Structure formats: structure tokens, C-alpha cells
Amino acid sequence: MRRLPAAKFRRKYRKRRASFEQLVAMLRPALEKPRSRGGTPGGAIDIELKVGATLRYLSGGSYLDIASDHGISESYFYFVVEEVLDAMNQKLGNFGLTEETVLDAEYLKDLAEDMSKYWGDALHGVVAAFDCWACPIKRPHDADYQPYRNRKGFFAYVVQVCVDARRKLIHMRCKEKGAANDSLVFRTSTIGQAILAGKVPQPYIFLGDAAYPLHRSLMVPYGGKGNDVWKDSFDFWQSHYRMNVECALGALQRRFGIFWRPLEVHQSKVWLIISACMRLHNWLIDIDDTVLSTAYEEDMPSRPECIPITMQSDGAADEGDEADHNRERMGKTKEQVRDDLTKRLREVGLTRPGKRMRTSTGDVSG
């Protein structure tokens, strides 16, 4: 490992050497074992080799080649991998969005400010986006394996995720079998139940695709054909924020080649692998800081001035106005909330890029 050139090291282990060394240091307390008489700290296998072997396994390598390259017996290989995966899930931090933080206005405010910073303010109060990923698995050994069959014909677990502006996976749930649809997974999750119960502080909203239920705190596209230019504009900007989910899952699958084919592990180990990969994905974003920049304006130089997002003020004089605004939104139906967001786009003339809108003076490019 130490003799590998930097480029080849990153290609094999999916990270820079400095990041690898930092990861080893973080995991060492969980992997280090007491010195045995005549033995070495950490057991017979060096901790760097354990972590390296696990990263190669997550990158999609063959356990036969990995075991040989890292001096691990084939019979002991999966014990090493499971040990390191447990350490990753223990040491690499928790997912930020929980049934407690989904009710925390300050936490949601931070997410909304990041969304505005990186992706603009077209929609008021967006914090993150939900989606579900069907993770392929080998055919289960269960006598009744049909519930694992996805609608696309392969066996899978349905993994619900929520992604923030930096494309970090701030929530994951891996409990439902492949036949479950996105809406069912969301409605049966504790976070989904909190959102649908109307407990999310206003004016913050989450996003989902058309498979999710529309709610005051969960905006989905209008969909369908023949929508006017402003509903079309809403659908575009809703997708503009929501694409972070697709990009995050794409980056996860690209980095960890173990997902390039069905997982060949027992169902009880599926969560262990997915959770460790997602935590590692988040950790690499935090230490590398290479996911996004604030160059959004350069990407869309002709973008009209967007609506500034109004966060909860710290000033006592504004608290009453903010409370009135929140009560007003809570009193509206889910359709009215979406229509209000669409109306705000119309007020500033913010359409889908390249779309034309008709005014009293003629056609104007959006």
C-alpha cells in the first residue's frame, strides 16, 4: 500500500492517501485490541491493512484478490470486513436528520441557508429532498422471497434517503423489501410521519418526486401535461433542488463499486454495508470540501434575481410577524402552499430557463 503511486492509490482505495491515513486514525480506537503476550497491538493483522482491505471490498474488488494482497486468510476475510464496517458506523458520525431534528427550527434554518447559498432562492424555505433507492441484492434464502422483488424485476431493499445542499445523506432508512413503493416507505418512517402530521416548523419545506404525497411541508411537482408556464416553472425549480438526491446516490454508487452488482451478503448485513458507505460518503465531503462551490451564479449568468429567503429573525420586533406568517401557511391547504410558491415565481418572472412567457407587451424570454 505504501509503495503505490498517489494516483493508483486513489483509484484503488477511492480516496487520497492523506484521507486514508486520517480514516485509519479515526477507526483505530474501535479496532485496536489489547496487546496479547508475544503479540502486537491490534491483533495479528495491521489496522491499516484491515481498513485497506475493507475499502477495496467496498470498491468492488474480489475477496480472493484482496485477501491475497493484504495478507489476510480467505477464511478470516469477512470477519475483518464486518469488524471495520462496525467501526465505520460507530466512528464516522450519525445522520443529521432524525425524528428530533426534523422538529428543530434552528437545524432546519441551517439547512435552508445552505440550500440558498449553493442553489439559489427560487423556492422559499427548501431544506432537503427525499427519494428512495432500490439497492439490488442476490435472491434471498427466505421461503417467501417474492416481497423482495422490485417492480423492475430484480431483488432489492428499498433505501429511503434525504439529501442536503452539499449532497450529504442526512437520513437513511433501510427496512423495506423491494416490492414497497416510495410513498409507503415514507409514510411508515418516523420522519415521514412527523412531516405528514404537520410538525415541521414553518416556513421550511422538504421536496419529493411525484411518488411522494403532497403536504404543506413536502412539495412535489404538479406533473402532467398542458401546465401553464408558471406551474412548469415550479416543476423545473423543484427539480433543480431535488436533483441533489440523484447526484448524491450517483456519486455513492460510482465511488463504491460494491453497488455495481447485487449485494452478495445475507439480508442482515445489507444495512451494515449501505450505512457504512453513506457515512463514509458524508465524511469525505466534510474533509475534502470538493463537492460544491458558490459558483452557482457563473453556471446560470442570465438567471433573474431570485426571491430572498426569509429566515426566522432573532429580533424580538419581528417575532410576531413571523408567527403570523407561519399561522397563515398552517391554515392553508397543501395545494395552496404550492400555489403560493408558484405565485412567487410569477411575481419575479422566474421561469424555466429558455421558456417564453406571454405578457401584455409580447413574448419575453424566461
Side-chain angles (χ1 to χ4, degrees):
M1 291 174 61
R2 295 185 177 90
R3 298 173 183 167
L4 288 174
K8 191 169 184 179
F9 184 94
R10 185 164 192 175
R11 183 176 179 182
K12 289 188 70 171
Y13 295 99
R14 298 296 198 268
K15 56 187 58 58
R16 294 194 296 263
R17 193 183 299 274
S19 299
F20 175 81
E21 293 171 353
Q22 189 174 346
L23 177 64
V24 170
M26 288 186 65
L27 300 182
R28 187 176 295 277
L31 296 174
E32 206 163 42
K33 298 176 182 178
R35 181 191 297 269
S36 59
R37 181 174 298 181
T40 58
I45 304 174
D46 187 83
I47 291 177
E48 286 189 1
L49 293 177
K50 288 184 175 183
V51 176
T54 302
L55 292 176
R56 287 290 299 126
Y57 171 72
L58 296 179
S59 299
S62 164
Y63 83 96
L64 295 173
D65 295 337
I66 300 170
S68 175
D69 291 347
H70 294 79
I72 302 173
S73 69
E74 295 172 11
S75 60
Y76 192 57
F77 175 78
Y78 286 105
F79 291 101
V80 169
V81 169
E82 187 170 342
E83 180 185 15
V84 176
L85 292 177
D86 281 332
M88 288 181 178
N89 282 314
Q90 177 185 344
K91 294 293 184 179
L92 291 182
N94 296 320
F95 300 106
L97 186 67
T98 66
E99 49 265 42
E100 289 80 28
T101 57
V102 76
L103 311 179
D104 185 346
E106 288 301 313
Y107 175 73
L108 299 180
K109 175 183 176 182
D110 291 341
L111 291 178
E113 287 177 340
D114 276 350
M115 192 67 75
S116 175
K117 172 183 176 182
Y118 290 116
W119 300 103
D121 321 340
L123 298 183
H124 181 79
V126 174
V127 295
F130 283 95
D131 207 345
C132 283
W133 164 44
C135 178
I137 61 172
K138 68 176 183 178
R139 174 176 164 172
H141 295 296
D142 296 15
D144 183 15
Y145 57 81
Q146 288 302 327
Y148 290 92
R149 191 183 295 276
N150 182 264
R151 64 183 179 85
K152 296 181 180 179
F154 57 87
F155 299 106
Y157 264 99
V158 179
V159 185
Q160 177 177 272
V161 298
C162 188
V163 174
D164 69 7
R166 297 180 63 212
R167 295 176 181 169
K168 290 178 63 176
L169 296 142
I170 58 175
H171 160 76
M172 71 85 70
R173 183 175 186 261
C174 179
K175 292 184 177 181
E176 303 297 337
K177 300 173 183 178
N181 59 51
D182 293 13
S183 179
L184 174 65
V185 174
F186 182 76
R187 291 176 186 276
T188 56
S189 67
T190 53
I191 289 179
Q193 291 170 357
I195 293 173
L196 296 178
K199 296 181 180 179
V200 176
Q202 298 299 319
Y204 305 110
I205 55 174
F206 293 88
L207 303 178
D209 61 22
Y212 284 80
L214 178 65
H215 187 270
R216 288 191 302 266
S217 300
L218 181 66
M219 292 290 105
V220 303
Y222 285 99
K225 298 180 179 179
N227 288 332
D228 63 34
V229 66
W230 302 114
K231 289 183 177 180
D232 177 76
S233 176
F234 174 89
D235 284 358
F236 170 81
W237 289 105
Q238 198 263 7
S239 176
H240 165 79
Y241 294 108
R242 187 167 47 82
M243 71 178 183
N244 285 307
V245 181
E246 314 265 346
C247 293
L249 290 174
L252 182 82
Q253 293 174 322
R254 179 62 179 159
R255 184 187 294 272
F256 300 110
I258 193 171
F259 299 125
W260 297 356
R261 56 184 179 271
L263 292 180
E264 297 185 359
V265 297
H266 189 271
Q267 298 94 283
S268 62
K269 307 298 182 185
V270 171
W271 177 89
L272 186 70
I273 292 173
I274 295 175
S275 176
C277 288
M278 289 185 173
R279 292 173 199 267
L280 190 54
H281 166 91
N282 290 345
W283 179 74
L284 288 169
I285 290 176
D286 285 337
I287 66 167
D288 288 344
D289 196 21
T290 57
V291 176
L292 292 174
S293 70
T294 54
Y296 175 70
E297 300 295 338
E298 299 176 8
D299 295 336
M300 297 190 66
S302 62
R303 183 172 65 96
E305 186 66 25
C306 289
I307 309 157
I309 186 169
T310 305
M311 294 298 175
Q312 185 173 356
S313 172
D314 293 329
D318 296 331
E319 291 179 356
D321 292 338
E322 185 67 18
D324 289 343
H325 171 76
N326 292 345
R327 280 194 295 270
E328 180 183 2
R329 174 174 286 191
M330 287 298 292
K332 293 185 176 181
T333 67
K334 54 194 178 185
E335 290 83 5
Q336 288 173 326
V337 173
R338 184 169 61 180
D339 289 344
D340 282 351
L341 292 170
T342 305
K343 180 181 178 182
R344 291 169 68 87
L345 295 176
R346 183 171 185 171
E347 288 172 352
V348 296
L350 190 56
T351 64
R352 176 193 296 267
K355 197 80 173 180
R356 301 183 69 85
M357 60 182 179
R358 181 170 295 279
T359 68
S360 58
T361 58
D363 286 345
V364 179
S365 295

